[in-house]
Amino acid sequence: MKAEFDVKLSAEDLYGFNMYQTYTSIHGFISILMTAVFWITAGFSFQQGNIGYGFLYIAAGILFLVYMPLTLWFRSKKTIETNSILSGVLHYEVSEDAIKVTQGEEMGELPWNLVYKVVANSKRILIYSNRINAYVIPRTQIGAQYDAFVEVASQKLDKYRVKIKK
């Protein structure tokens, strides 16, 4: 079984990956927790008549809630604009031996035994080479090759390394 397809990443694709990475890690948990703490503290401040502090805590909560997504958006946009590899068309060839990615004269190969995990949802496929770095493949661009990709990934990886939603 083999799958071949071309991918052109956009800032939105990279942003989606970065949001997933952030909010499924401790950073995202702390960000949401701090927002809740600030808003609960704001409620107590309003009850005690400290209106100024209440609004200050609400503003701090909004800052924690909004800062990370905005930072990730601008970072994703800048990365796509400045990185010639990510902004170009990447050709993927998924076989039973490895995942090959080519762009022009450049070629990279990731054998299945070095794949950390594969995560797929309705918007993107993430092929992790370690806990942090992943190949990002938008689901809309893989098209009819998705089933072939899922079949190869399911055969080559242990079940706990494959999290695929159809």
Side-chain angles (χ1 to χ4, degrees):
M1 180 78 26
K2 189 176 180 181
E4 286 189 57
F5 48 90
D6 291 327
V7 169
K8 177 152 178 56
L9 288 177
S10 67
E12 292 84 12
D13 299 324
L14 199 54
Y15 174 69
F17 165 69
N18 287 331
M19 286 289 286
Y20 174 81
Q21 258 323 78
T22 299
Y23 285 98
T24 57
S25 71
I26 191 72
H27 299 316
F29 176 75
I30 289 173
S31 177
I32 292 170
L33 180 66
M34 289 302 294
T35 299
V37 166
F38 278 125
W39 287 352
I40 290 169
T41 306
F44 287 129
S45 293
F46 284 129
Q47 279 182 338
Q48 294 175 353
N50 296 327
I51 305 295
Y53 283 120
F55 284 121
L56 186 64
Y57 288 129
I58 287 175
I62 290 171
L63 181 66
F64 264 87
L65 194 62
V66 173
Y67 173 76
M68 188 63 71
L70 282 177
T71 302
L72 292 175
W73 169 251
F74 288 118
R75 186 185 311 158
S76 299
K77 192 171 179 181
K78 185 175 181 179
T79 299
I80 290 296
E81 290 171 355
T82 59
N83 190 317
S84 62
I85 293 174
L86 291 179
S87 63
V89 176
L90 300 167
H91 179 75
Y92 283 82
E93 185 179 319
V94 180
S95 67
E96 293 189 14
D97 298 328
I99 300 166
K100 293 180 186 174
V101 183
T102 56
Q103 182 188 43
E105 299 292 318
E106 301 293 323
M107 196 262 304
E109 184 172 300
L110 180 65
W112 283 105
N113 64 335
L114 296 180
V115 173
Y116 181 72
K117 70 178 175 179
V118 173
V119 177
N121 59 29
S122 63
K123 296 188 179 197
R124 69 193 55 84
I125 300 167
L126 305 174
I127 305 169
Y128 284 88
S129 56
N130 57 40
R131 297 174 107 186
I132 299 170
N133 301 320
Y135 294 98
V136 180
I137 302 169
R139 278 283 295 269
T140 57
Q141 294 184 35
I142 192 171
Q145 297 295 312
Y146 180 72
D147 290 333
F149 172 81
V150 169
E151 186 175 328
V152 173
S154 298
Q155 287 175 359
K156 300 307 282 183
L157 297 173
D158 296 328
K159 289 188 188 282
Y160 70 92
R161 294 194 184 276
V162 180
K163 296 178 183 173
I164 296 178
K165 295 181 182 175
K166 292 215 175 201

